[in-house]
Amino acid sequence: MISREPTIERLATAKALLLEPFGLDETHLARALAEIRTHRVDDADLYFQYTRSEGWSLEEGIVKTGSFSIDQGVGVRAVSGEKTAFAYSDDISEASLLDAARTVRSIAAAAKSARARVPATRVAASRSLYQGLDPIGTLDSTAKVKLLERTERMARARDPRVVQVMAGLASEYDVVLVARADGTLAADVRPLVRLSVTVIAEQNGRREVGSGGGGGRFGLAYFDEAHLRQYVDDAVDAALTNLESRPAPAGEMTVVLGPGWPGILLHEAVGHGLEGDFNRKGSSAFSGRIGQRVAAKGVTVLDDGTIADRRGSLNVDDEGNPSQRNVLIEDGILRGYIQDALNARLMGVAPTGNGRRESYAHIPMPRMTNTYMLGGDKSPEEIVASIDKGLYATNFGGGQVDITSGKFVFSASEAYWVEKGRILYPVKGATIVGNGPDALTRVSMIGNDMRLDPGVGTCGKEGQSVPVGVGQPTLRIDGLTVGGTA
């Protein structure tokens, strides 16, 4: 058997799913783009997508729900200056393509020549970060049910105080094809799986919740006994810890953030502020600060869409550009922003492989992929031991940020009170309040234990959700405000 180069293989898969069943080929795509270019536009693209999704959920020892869906369609976009015209349809046909093309080209005036030059087609460079498999077919239905049942048995066996277990398994097979006005043709085949477990523990009439889980761009065989055990331990340990928690103290204090998922604070409080659209419009607290110090020495923040098998990684972004490893902050100095094609063009810089959209029914925007801070030279034990009085937060729930001011509020779902370098007891109800750019300057110790999250993150922006990754080492931040319940 002769195998094809992965980029060509993905393109063939996309054509077989998104063009050939509807009698389309590259000449039809070129014709639709030529229709748009009869008007004076700066950019245009066609985005075809086929998505097959499956989900299973267990509650009260029973797999109660299962779902399966198929969605497909095409989005057609024209860009003129800062203006974007967009149309989409779940009817993939030449007539729909041409109709959408004529609709979106109205954003700009007609060109002097009604005959648009058809550029030569070129296949975009791309990466090979994950296998182009359909994860839904990597386990049969019986095995998926047994996987959830085994997860529940593990959780209940961990501790008699566990009174309820909920588990979910989700799989997605996503195939995209991008055709751009400059002749670029790109495709990606994106598997995505996630297993989640939530437990409720009860003691003396008090109930607390804990959760765990993980996933990425691979098949369901990834969820072996060791991974299930880790997810269950994370969930049960969190619930049992919170059963012993006391009201959180409030005030300004030293806060130490644990590694991995607590990087969600970095994602929200800093990452969104480094997206190109906010900075082009001058609405970010980081606007116009390239080359300036925005963080303490030692703070290096990256957005990296090139990590193999990660939830936030992409072979190509949703505009056909290859993903990149982008250094945003280097040793405390702001080096760049996250860019899609539109904002990069208007700011006079190159795209960074961060043009992302939720589906064919949405326009692309600059979005994060896997955003994390590099590690330092301190052990986590040394950092915790340095706290005189303060909070050690190892897990986070929800949060929100104001991009313009940089102010954020986050709730810690698992945290501990520390005095004289000793962890005394878990606390509940702690919220961390601060300002993203200011908080970065208050980082005083950086751990050597950088870790990425287990693969559970989803980022929302302007009504669109995309899978992302976060990460960081253990961090000491001085002088943050903690809102507590004590």
Side-chain angles (χ1 to χ4, degrees), residues 92 306 460 474:
I92 301 177
T306 71
T474 298

Side-chain angles (χ1 to χ4, degrees), residues 360-402:
Y360 68 86
H362 301 83
I363 61 172
M365 298 181 282
R367 306 291 301 272
M368 284 172 276
T369 55
N370 304 298
T371 310
Y372 57 95
M373 184 187 297
L374 294 185
D377 60 357
K378 306 297 183 185
S379 72
E381 295 80 12
E382 181 182 0
I383 296 175
V384 173
S386 73
I387 304 173
D388 182 39
K389 281 188 177 182
L391 191 75
Y392 177 35
T394 58
N395 209 347
F396 280 94
Q400 56 187 355
V401 61
D402 181 280

Side-chain angles (χ1 to χ4, degrees), residues 180 317 319 321-322 324 326 337-342 344-345 349-355:
R180 296 184 63 89
D317 72 3
E319 297 180 302
N321 294 309
Q324 295 180 193
N326 300 297
Y337 303 124
I338 296 165
Q339 301 287 3
D340 64 347
L342 182 152
R345 174 176 54 81
V349 297
T352 60
N354 291 88

